Amino acid sequence: MNDLTRKLGISLPFIQGGMGNISHAELAVAVSEAGGLGTIGAGTLSLNYLEDMIIKIRKQTSKPFAINVPLSVQKNVDELIKLIIGYQIPVVSLSAGNPAPFITKLKNENIIVICVVANERQAIKAEEKGADFIVAEGVEAAGINAPEELTTFTLVPKICDSVAIPVIAAGGIGDGRGVLAAMSLGAQGVQLGTRLIATKDAKVHSLYKRALCAADSDGTMIVGRSYGKIRRILKTPYGKHLLEEERNNPDLKTYLDLTDENHHILGALEGKFLEGHVNAGQVASIINDIPTVKELFQRMIQEAQTLYNHQLPFGKS
């Protein structure tokens, strides 16, 4: 146990990333039941749909769970915050925008607040406003990323040095080696996204899962860089089409239309890789199977413990 697991009421230091269209009720339940913190990804979903997911989760588990609110993406943030307070959701993660206007309101309702950041300035401001935990997310992560493009290995220790509250590492973590590395850098836990997609509990298209297992070290790509809209996706025919459009038709509105939620659903949920994109982190290159969430967590903990107990190959005369 550490400060993170103790305060969140979880047994394992694993947080589910709030992936839009992916972090649904079933996956969140599987993560929470396996000892981590399951998360609903609010994304662009309607309030009615989100309320239905909250009710479904409450029926299936008594374990803690969270809702991720991407502030610049979700159109009904104020109404969603009211819904969260009304249902007394135990944990909320705030990302993709300025969390300051919402932290105090949530904390006044005894809701734990996690803020996802991309640099130390954001981390310091979130701590000053009362955040309980910081997720330090490197550019290895899937989906929308910050223009700084800082890597997890440099971002996490910098933020751990900059704030006193516990830090959660995100981006590029998918096995016990990543967990141990994150802890060594000063984090108290890890946030997992892409690795959880390649599990039996994720309700995405089977082609998506198989494509993650088949990805090699250059299996992902960045689109949107020329607009300052960094997004890491799986290298697919549609992804290559996006990059060509960006080069030949550098119109922001066109890019936003081509990467909207409808195109994400086409790729991720319907498996139409010619018509829609699928988000994927660089960790895809080390994914080679599709276990249950419970099996994955047990394996990651065993791997981390084995590595930790292994004698270091230096320091002896």
Side-chain angles (χ1 to χ4, degrees), residues 75-227:
K75 294 180 180 179
N76 302 302
V77 172
D78 290 329
E79 291 82 0
L80 178 53
I81 295 297
K82 291 178 183 177
L83 183 70
I84 286 168
I85 291 172
Y87 276 94
Q88 277 296 289
I89 305 302
V91 185
V92 171
S93 69
L94 303 173
S95 62
N98 178 16
F102 307 100
I103 294 176
T104 300
K105 185 180 294 187
L106 292 166
K107 293 294 294 292
N108 285 344
E109 300 293 334
N110 297 314
I111 295 173
I112 296 169
V113 177
I114 301 172
C115 289
V116 182
V117 307
N119 57 51
E120 67 271 20
R121 175 182 55 80
Q122 294 171 353
I124 292 168
K125 288 182 67 175
E127 181 182 39
E128 289 173 349
K129 294 296 181 180
D132 296 285
F133 303 105
I134 297 293
V135 170
E137 184 173 74
V139 74
E140 298 96 323
I144 298 172
N145 276 301
E148 295 97 331
E149 297 191 59
L150 300 176
T151 66
T152 302
F153 230 71
T154 53
L155 181 64
V156 170
K158 180 64 177 177
I159 289 182
C160 288
D161 289 344
S162 303
V163 299
I165 57 178
V167 174
I168 301 158
I173 301 164
D175 59 16
R177 295 172 296 181
V179 174
L180 187 58
M183 300 296 193
S184 299
L185 294 173
Q188 290 199 17
V190 298
Q191 179 172 284
L192 304 171
T194 301
R195 189 59 188 93
L196 291 175
I197 297 171
T199 63
K200 290 183 172 67
D201 302 286
K203 305 302 180 186
V204 302
H205 200 279
S206 59
L207 286 178
Y208 190 179
K209 298 182 185 184
R210 294 205 298 268
L212 291 175
C213 291
D216 55 21
S217 57
D218 68 343
T220 67
M221 57 192 295
I222 293 289
V223 295
R225 185 176 278 131
S226 62
Y227 311 109

Side-chain angles (χ1 to χ4, degrees), residues 282-293:
Q282 287 184 315
V283 73
S285 65
I286 63 169
I287 295 174
N288 52 34
D289 66 347
I290 305 173
T292 65
V293 169

